[in-house]
Amino acid sequence: MSRAQPDAALAPRRPAAAEQLLRCDDGVPGIAGGPGRDLRLTLDELLPFAREILARHDVRIRPGGGGEPWRIELHLENLRDLPAPEGNPDTIYLPGEDASAVLLDRRSAIRSLWRVDEATVKAADIAYDVRHGTVGAPPFLDHPDLQAELPDYRLLRLYADQYSGFAAAALEARPPSGLPPHRIYAVAGTHVFEHRDFRSWASGLTFGRAQASSTAALAMIRDAADYAGDLRGGGEVFVTGQSQGGLSAQGIGFLLQSFLDTRPGPKHLAHVVSWGGVGAQEALLHMMASQRGGEARGFGSDLERHWAATDPTYPAAAEVWRAVARRWAELPPGGALPYLRATMGRMRVLGYFFEIDLFARAGTFPGTTLAFPTALILPDHCDLTVVEALFGVGVGRFGMRLESHFLKGYRRAVERGAIAVARPALPAKWDWVTRALPVVEPLGYAWLETLYFDGPASSPENWRRCMAAPQWLTPANRFCRESWWQGCAPEPQENRWCLVREAPPDVVSPIGAAP
């Protein structure tokens, strides 16, 4: 569940990697001077929106003869001569259905929804460049080419959570784009290559629950709900992400619509656009059951009390969580799944995937899934794949299967007009993955807690917050009021953490506390 950018400046891990990176140099024999190959994909029955999409990507369209339907011919020229794997035989294409229902959604004021969907794959890529600031400092974006990547959008705000590793960027459409007002909230997935954040790995063990219910994500949901509920100055909301980001986007979308449903009056449509993400239905049902079982967000009362006293975004997060939790408490026995399906049905929820993407096999997607042809994964003549750039080894069929999950593969496909030829399909499933949720989730939360106590909770800034509070706790003393008490101050010889135990009376009560 990851992102990779082989074109970024990388320190080669093996001597062979440097050689691979030089193979596309025009002056070096190899790929640059070798023959590529061409592919032609022909698809019948041109859909109403497909001609507009393909014209944008300079793809040829020709009519059939003798009363035959229009046909799409997708010409892919000078591609890398790599072994493209066969499509998964267990992928079920839905006969008699096309993508019109989700790409021409009558509930949306945006006629060309495909344009926003194409933008979301770039936004999902940009979200990986959101960096957490130091404790107490705001996040920042390490992406200098935002304007070149998405000229129709402006960066509105960044979100980051010190505990779960959640990171997201909010982008707003510029009026010159010609599209009705809308925002894209893009969520980062797991960081595994050029930038490692093990909090995202630990959150993956919770199937995205830790990030979707994090304080920063809930505050983002409140901002998105305010925008979607403003019929004059607001607009539609798109939540997107790739890999774990796509999984978290489903959870955030569900919480967003659940929160919108607690507010009276009409709202703009909310969307979820997931790229190669695990299906979230089982994880969302588990999240609802945990809340109704008294676990709240699953973070622990000491942490909730500390955040309530120290995080300025906590009141907004608490407002969202308490509103949806009250609604969940009203559900009758057995009512969680119908409620989830009805809630997601009030949104436009779709997931794009390559039929050989292994991660698409896990979980049930709570919306419409659209499959891309496998051939669209193939790189251009001199475009390095992830495996080559990172490890300096040739790419076989398994390497191409990995390539089908990385954002680079999805971006490459979209730039060739893939949305025009995406077909409704049900991915092959690995049921054992979601059955492992109760086993691996506690490990994820334990890992997150360890990383937090060793990092942000031990920082000088956090210690200043603790000692400014009426009472705090440490691993050596649970009741601290003076820093000179034993165990109540930072210890130079160890990485000692602290949490605020008692806050001023005007602070919002912690999530999970009795009303």
Side-chain angles (χ1 to χ4, degrees), residues 132 159-162 164-168 187 203 211-212 214 216-217 220 248 252:
H132 294 73
Y159 300 85
D161 184 71
Q162 291 283 355
S164 66
F166 171 82
V187 182
S203 291
Q211 291 200 355
S214 68
M220 185 180 82
S248 297
I252 291 167

Side-chain angles (χ1 to χ4, degrees), residues 252-319:
I252 291 167
F254 170 64
L255 291 170
L256 169 61
Q257 187 62 50
S258 299
F259 182 59
L260 284 172
D261 290 343
T262 68
R263 291 181 165 186
K267 296 98 177 173
H268 294 284
L269 183 66
H271 310 245
V272 170
V273 183
S274 173
W275 297 91
V278 170
Q281 179 171 289
E282 291 81 2
L284 295 177
L285 292 173
H286 179 68
M287 179 171 66
M288 296 171 66
S290 297
Q291 163 61 32
R292 298 180 68 177
E295 296 181 21
R297 296 193 291 173
F299 293 133
S301 58
D302 286 340
L303 289 167
E304 294 283 9
R305 186 166 51 236
H306 175 74
W307 296 330
T310 60
D311 190 337
T313 64
Y314 196 88
E319 176 191 349

Side-chain angles (χ1 to χ4, degrees), residues 424-463:
L426 300 178
K429 285 301 172 187
W430 285 339
D431 293 334
W432 60 269
V433 176
T434 50
R435 289 199 298 268
L437 174 59
V439 176
V440 300
E441 185 186 64
L443 299 177
Y445 279 111
W447 193 2
L448 285 172
E449 189 172 280
T450 299
L451 292 170
Y452 185 74
F453 284 153
D454 288 344
S458 300
S459 68
E461 174 63 27
N462 193 60
W463 270 102

Side-chain angles (χ1 to χ4, degrees), residues 164-205:
S164 66
F166 171 82
L171 304 163
E172 189 169 64
R174 298 176 184 273
S177 70
L179 294 170
H182 65 277
R183 288 180 183 173
I184 298 175
Y185 292 85
V187 182
T190 310
H191 296 278
V192 294
F193 293 124
E194 71 272 15
H195 168 67
R196 289 195 179 96
D197 186 338
F198 290 109
R199 293 170 296 185
S200 65
W201 294 38
S203 291
L205 295 178

